[in-house]
Amino acid sequence: MQSSKEIERLSASARRAVQARDWQTVRASAKEILGRQRDSAEGHFLLGLYEKASNRPEQAIKSFGRALGCDAERYDAAVEKAGQHMRLHEHGAAAELLDEYAERLGNSPLYLDMAGTIYTNIGLPDRGWPLYRKANDLQPGVALLQANLAACSVYVGKLDEARDLYGKLLANAPEHQRYHYELSRLARAQDSAHVDAMLSVLEKRKLAPEQNVYLYYALGKELEDLERWDESFDFYKKGGDAAASLGNYSVENDLQTIDRVIEVCSRDWIRNGAPEPDAAAGGKTPIFVVGLPRSGTTLTERILSSHSRVESVSESFFMQDVIRQVSGVAGRDPKSPAMTPKIIAAAAGKDIARIAKGYRQAIAYRFDDKPMFIEKFPENFLYLGFIAKAYPEARLVHLNRNPMDNCFALYKQSFFRYAYRLEDLGPYYVAYRRLHDHWREVLGERLVEVDYEALVSDQEDTTRALLDAVGLEFEEACLRFEQNRTASNTASSVQIREKVHTRSVNRWKYYEKHLAPLRDYLEKAGINLA
């Protein structure tokens, strides 16, 4: 009895230390608990929290697993363990745990929210949304819970709910820049009311430019909606310049990586050593949709995934991750580039079956029961050689878009480091086109090319041709892709809820004088801008 009371005292002390982020006290308390009771779920759980805070996910997984071994009802240990699996990119293990415990979280806003976030981050926002909803029902009015629900509502197509939530958040925190940014993305501005509110925040706070990135991009977007072109570009440029100042990005690494891909992913390399089709794809036929971001890849994914024989796994970094792992030279430094020439060269010398199997195992948790699956990660264009070799039966779809429209669409976003500055974007685009020409040469008819402009101006004929090229019969549902209710956590998660339109064609011409340096650079490099 005395021991039980002492364990309760140690647990309470450790919980207070968790709140204070006093991790040494948490560790000491956990060790003492386990010294008194080796099978204490609480002791193992607390030790897991300490390992988590110490950035040791493997050890944290072991501790949380031991807690579950002692008490299988510890949903907190299950969710924490799932979070650590996610950190190690073991998304399938995370999803399996959450699926098992999701129904047991009904009284814990903290773990409902955490589980919703893990689901969303591993590409399953449709499973995360009801957990966020429950967390808000249990503890209404908490900004963090509301913000997470709002973001997930966008991904699952509940745009009216998202707008309402961001409106409430801004009513309580009118200077919160991220809320303004997210609200700006949800609809086309009809008047200057929100613009004026955001300008007022800038004037009142007088923050350094690097602290205004989200507000700059939001202002650029809404001023564009209002056709105030010069003011719009001014804020897009401020946003890009401020974002660029926050990192130490150099476009040279990306250019060298593209050159190395062209060097090692030759026609002979792709043809030699390919695995057997069934072993590579696990009985499913992959469709990889690639191209520069903002080229129409999400639109194409929605069209194809509206077909009765195709399921979407949305987009993932798994191909990139597996190539890095198989290369044997990729470190875990978060500041290091995601891909380097050294990684590409090393991975190209490895058994391609390891890449095929590694990707298939990583993505399998997203599979349903349809015979074809579509992965839409635009920048997989860099890895088309590895994909083509690993999956001989894969369909490879590449989106093309007018160079200036595509570049400007990239420049307007806060996501792409190579597009923050026009002086980086020009060389990157030229290198991308060099790689695109290489894939045309070495892949030949395997490369299915779709022009964005044709897709939005002649939807039915272009859709029919696309379906035929990937081996699918035409279905009317593919023309009604905006009715596709599956989730999308991409930069186009709002636009894909609309019918096809041509508003973005030749959009760059409204900014022609501002984009003249980029246009001149591309023309001198021999890029056809028509």
Side-chain angles (χ1 to χ4, degrees), residues 85-86 88-96 121-123 318 362 365-366:
H85 281 301
M86 181 184 71
L88 294 177
H89 292 196
E90 298 167 353
H91 291 183
E96 185 177 357
N121 288 343
I122 65 175
F318 291 148
Y365 76 97
R366 299 191 188 184

Side-chain angles (χ1 to χ4, degrees), residues 275-297:
E276 291 298 319
D278 286 346
K284 287 179 177 283
T285 302
I287 306 172
F288 288 89
V289 175
V290 305
L292 269 189
R294 317 304 295 161
S295 63
T297 54

Side-chain angles (χ1 to χ4, degrees), residues 56-123:
R56 290 193 286 264
E58 294 94 343
Q59 290 87 342
I61 285 171
K62 290 178 182 177
S63 291
F64 291 131
R66 289 177 185 132
L68 288 170
C70 297
D71 182 356
E73 296 304 311
R74 287 294 296 260
Y75 62 78
D76 51 354
V79 176
E80 293 284 4
K81 186 172 185 283
Q84 297 307 293
H85 281 301
M86 181 184 71
R87 288 188 65 185
L88 294 177
H89 292 196
E90 298 167 353
H91 291 183
E96 185 177 357
L97 262 176
L98 293 185
D99 287 349
E100 180 181 352
Y101 280 88
E103 294 300 319
R104 310 184 200 183
L105 307 178
N107 294 318
S108 174
L110 171 65
Y111 282 103
L112 283 163
D113 181 75
M114 186 181 296
T117 297
I118 296 169
Y119 266 138
T120 300
N121 288 343
I122 65 175

Side-chain angles (χ1 to χ4, degrees), residues 75-224:
Y75 62 78
D76 51 354
V79 176
E80 293 284 4
K81 186 172 185 283
Q84 297 307 293
H85 281 301
M86 181 184 71
R87 288 188 65 185
L88 294 177
H89 292 196
E90 298 167 353
H91 291 183
E96 185 177 357
L97 262 176
L98 293 185
D99 287 349
E100 180 181 352
Y101 280 88
E103 294 300 319
R104 310 184 200 183
L105 307 178
N107 294 318
S108 174
L110 171 65
Y111 282 103
L112 283 163
D113 181 75
M114 186 181 296
T117 297
I118 296 169
Y119 266 138
T120 300
N121 288 343
I122 65 175
L124 301 172
D126 51 328
R127 299 186 200 177
W129 189 87
L131 304 185
Y132 284 137
R133 178 77 273 166
K134 285 182 184 177
N136 278 266
D137 289 343
L138 286 168
Q139 198 167 353
V142 177
L144 176 62
L145 302 184
Q146 287 181 309
N148 286 342
L149 176 61
C152 193
S153 294
V154 176
Y155 300 149
V156 300
K158 298 180 183 295
L159 303 185
D160 289 340
E161 180 162 351
R163 278 190 287 268
D164 181 61
L165 283 164
Y166 282 122
K168 291 177 180 176
L169 286 163
L170 280 169
N172 292 322
E175 297 177 0
H176 197 295
Q177 295 203 17
R178 187 62 184 263
Y179 299 159
H180 282 293
Y181 172 80
E182 297 296 346
L183 184 61
S184 74
R185 298 176 60 232
L186 292 177
R188 297 180 68 195
Q190 301 299 314
D191 56 49
S192 64
H194 191 209
V195 168
D196 293 340
M198 290 188 286
L199 289 173
S200 177
V201 173
L202 283 180
E203 177 62 27
K204 181 178 179 181
R205 297 296 303 279
K206 291 184 167 47
L207 299 174
E210 60 269 20
Q211 296 177 278
N212 292 324
V213 172
Y214 284 116
L215 215 52
Y216 289 153
Y217 279 111
L219 280 162
K221 187 269 181 189
E222 293 211 5
L223 287 164
E224 179 179 353

